[in-house]
Amino acid sequence: MVTGIMNGGLTATLIDCHSFWTALAATYQEEGRGFGEGTPFEFLTGSLQVRYLHPIAVGVELELRARIAKSGSRSRVVACSVFVDRKECARAEVTVVRIKCSRLNFTYRAVTTPRTAIRTPQPIAPRANPLPAGSSP
């Protein structure tokens, strides 16, 4: 990592978030609903492709611009760019996919391995009490 330069993962996260909200707002607008009115829409990121054009210094003001490049029945492709002082520093294409809430009906349990001791979320079937009595997540 280079000191004073923003990490590319952070840039990608900002692009992903901005693109998600752009797709969500466009969907509300397309359906003639005020933002947040009625049954909520559920979206997930389907793909994220970022081209890093110039390094971004830590602490500078960023401007993100996004637009819907393609709109389908279940997905939106969002073109998003990050600018610093009107200079494009990153350009991305994000596919945001619409899902139904019922598809996310699961919980997570932590799994540890003795070798790495890293807690990895693993999907498990929903049940009344996913943790044994007296344990913590």
Side-chain angles (χ1 to χ4, degrees), residues 24-49:
L24 186 62
T27 303
Y28 274 102
Q29 190 174 36
E30 288 169 9
E31 298 216 355
R33 293 168 45 186
F35 194 80
E37 287 180 357
T39 304
F41 297 110
E42 298 280 333
F43 284 97
L44 293 174
T45 301
S47 70
L48 171 67
Q49 299 173 334

Side-chain angles (χ1 to χ4, degrees), residues 76-108:
R76 308 283 184 269
V77 176
V78 180
C80 185
S81 293
V82 179
F83 293 85
V84 174
D85 293 328
R86 289 180 263 164
K87 180 179 184 179
E88 187 179 28
C89 296
R91 181 181 307 145
E93 183 176 278
V94 182
T95 301
V96 183
V97 181
R98 187 172 173 181
I99 62 166
K100 293 184 179 183
C101 295
S102 61
R103 297 186 79 184
L104 293 179
N105 189 17
F106 59 86
T107 58
Y108 283 97

Side-chain angles (χ1 to χ4, degrees), residues 106-110 121-124 130-131:
F106 59 86
T107 58
Y108 283 97
R109 79 184 136 106
Q122 300 292 322
I124 59 172
L131 298 173

Side-chain angles (χ1 to χ4, degrees), residues 4 6 56-62:
M6 190 163 80
I56 300 172
V58 172
V60 299
E61 185 173 315
L62 305 175

